[in-house]
Amino acid sequence: MQFHDGIMCILYKFQTIIGLFGNCFLLYLYSFKIIINQRIKLIDNICINLVFSNILMMLFRGIPWAMEACNQKNFMNDIECKIIIYVQRVSRGTSLCTTCLLSVFQAITITSCGPHWAKLKTSVLKSIVPACAFIWVLNLLIDLVVPLYVSGPRSINNSQLTRNLGFCSIDIYAMRTLKIVIWKTFFDAVFVGLMSITSGYMVLILYRHHWQVQHIHHTSFNPSASAEIRATKLILCLMSIFVCFSSLSSIFIIVMDNSKDTKQWVVNISAYFSLIYPTISPFVLMSSDSKNAINCNAFNRMKKSYKHSSKNRE
């Protein structure tokens, strides 16, 4: 094992463990809200959707890359490679769409609209759950053809026409000639563009709010408005993290596509950057929700009461 492989092995293991722990713990917090019959907000449905896509990313991208970086090569057959690459692409696309939906939701929420827009706003917000389901169906269908051009590392016939990922290989020539790849690029660009537009709009709202705070003697304090501002800053933070590290990952992908002899460390770094967002996002979401601490305390109280009742029975 070379030195850079050893470094990537440690980084992948640490990233995968932290990412799985953060997302699973956040999923537990949302599940606990349901158990104690606490009201689930619309934004929580979007966050749960994001957590599921993050968990799939860590399981089907983080673990295989960690095994490959730790010199565990040729451990998959063709079928396993097809499934893993397919789930990787679906979860990545779902993460993009869900983050975009989160930004659109918050932009609609903080919009101060007149009475004639109120019904439209209400109907849009009620469509959040169907939108989450539609995101999964859409990404499952778009990447349905990808497994046809994925094979195990032992099936490589021409290294110039395939990209060796260590544990799998992809027929680059066939993928480039597919019209669906052009559609997928356009698909990603639309959602990134929509995120940029809603981000700009929310920044404008935050600027107006800051201006009003400076002239606080002309306005009254509104706790709900303050909570919306905090949520808006959170979502802007999430989008910044996503765009930043997705862009870094894309730069390395462009380098790979234009290089005749792609180094494995370039492939590893590209995959590592693509996993930073699903690793960090659950902790950003947990830090923003003050009710998470309340849920943890409630869970501890339930455990103590259960133990106390068990002792009394004895």
Side-chain angles (χ1 to χ4, degrees):
M1 181 185 293
Q2 298 182 9
F3 176 74
H4 62 79
D5 290 332
I7 296 297
M8 292 307 302
C9 176
I10 296 172
L11 290 175
Y12 272 126
K13 284 183 176 179
F14 180 77
Q15 185 183 53
T16 303
I17 292 171
I18 296 298
L20 283 174
F21 169 78
N23 284 285
C24 290
F25 186 70
L26 183 57
L27 185 61
Y28 147 75
L29 292 177
Y30 286 125
S31 301
F32 189 70
K33 284 184 179 182
I34 299 174
I35 293 173
I36 64 175
N37 294 322
Q38 184 176 332
R39 181 175 174 269
I40 298 293
K41 297 180 291 185
L42 287 175
I43 195 171
D44 290 341
N45 294 316
I46 305 176
C47 293
I48 291 172
N49 205 50
L50 181 61
V51 168
F52 271 119
S53 64
N54 287 345
I55 291 175
L56 287 178
M57 282 277 284
M58 302 312 300
L59 289 175
F60 287 87
R61 176 168 286 192
I63 292 177
W65 279 109
M67 295 177 68
E68 193 281 329
C70 295
N71 213 25
Q72 301 292 327
K73 298 183 179 180
N74 298 331
F75 57 90
M76 294 183 188
N77 56 35
D78 285 358
I79 301 299
E80 291 171 340
C81 277
K82 292 177 187 296
I83 294 173
I84 285 178
I85 297 298
Y86 177 64
V87 177
Q88 282 183 16
R89 292 176 68 91
V90 170
S91 57
R92 187 262 176 194
T94 305
S95 178
L96 167 63
C97 297
T98 305
T99 306
C100 181
L101 179 63
L102 199 61
S103 65
V104 172
F105 169 84
Q106 191 60 29
I108 294 174
T109 301
I110 64 177
T111 300
S112 55
C113 55
H116 56 286
W117 287 102
K119 291 184 179 180
L120 178 61
K121 182 176 179 179
T122 303
S123 62
V124 170
L125 294 180
K126 286 182 178 179
S127 303
I128 294 299
V129 174
C132 291
F134 175 75
I135 284 173
W136 281 100
V137 174
L138 182 63
N139 283 279
L140 286 169
L141 293 176
I142 284 180
D143 291 311
L144 196 60
V145 72
V146 171
L148 298 176
Y149 303 95
V150 176
S151 58
R154 297 177 181 176
S155 302
I156 298 175
N157 297 321
N158 190 337
S159 60
Q160 294 181 351
L161 300 180
T162 57
R163 178 187 296 163
N164 186 5
L165 302 179
F167 57 90
C168 293
S169 61
I170 301 176
D171 191 336
I172 298 298
Y173 178 77
M175 288 290 290
R176 285 175 179 171
T177 56
L178 283 176
K179 292 182 179 180
I180 196 168
V181 174
I182 301 175
W183 160 244
K184 179 67 174 178
T185 304
F186 174 76
F187 174 84
D188 291 350
V190 167
F191 281 95
V192 171
L194 189 56
M195 276 197 292
S196 301
I197 293 172
T198 53
S199 297
Y201 175 75
M202 287 189 287
V203 168
L204 178 62
I205 295 295
L206 289 177
Y207 175 78
R208 289 173 56 186
H209 173 75
H210 178 70
W211 184 84
Q212 290 175 355
V213 169
Q214 288 182 334
H215 301 78
I216 193 68
H217 58 279
H218 292 300
T219 60
S220 59
F221 179 73
N222 188 345
S224 62
S226 178
E228 289 180 355
I229 293 300
R230 289 197 302 270
T232 303
K233 291 180 179 180
L234 160 74
I235 293 170
L236 286 172
C237 177
L238 283 176
M239 286 188 293
S240 299
I241 295 172
F242 182 88
V243 172
C244 175
F245 290 105
S246 293
S247 300
L248 287 174
S249 178
S250 298
I251 290 172
F252 282 96
I253 291 175
I254 293 172
V255 171
M256 287 187 290
D257 288 341
N258 293 277
S259 176
K260 294 182 179 179
D261 185 18
T262 302
K263 301 295 183 181
Q264 189 61 34
W265 68 267
V266 178
V267 182
N268 288 335
I269 292 179
S270 175
Y272 182 80
F273 280 135
S274 69
L275 287 168
I276 290 180
Y277 176 73
T279 302
I280 295 176
S281 58
F283 297 100
V284 176
L285 291 171
M286 281 188 284
S287 65
S288 68
D289 194 348
S290 60
K291 292 183 179 179
N292 287 332
I294 299 174
N295 291 335
C296 291
N297 293 332
F299 179 70
N300 290 330
R301 288 195 300 270
M302 288 176 62
K303 283 173 49 177
K304 290 179 181 178
S305 63
Y306 176 77
K307 290 179 180 179
H308 181 71
S309 61
S310 298
K311 289 180 180 179
N312 291 336
R313 290 174 184 175
E314 294 176 357

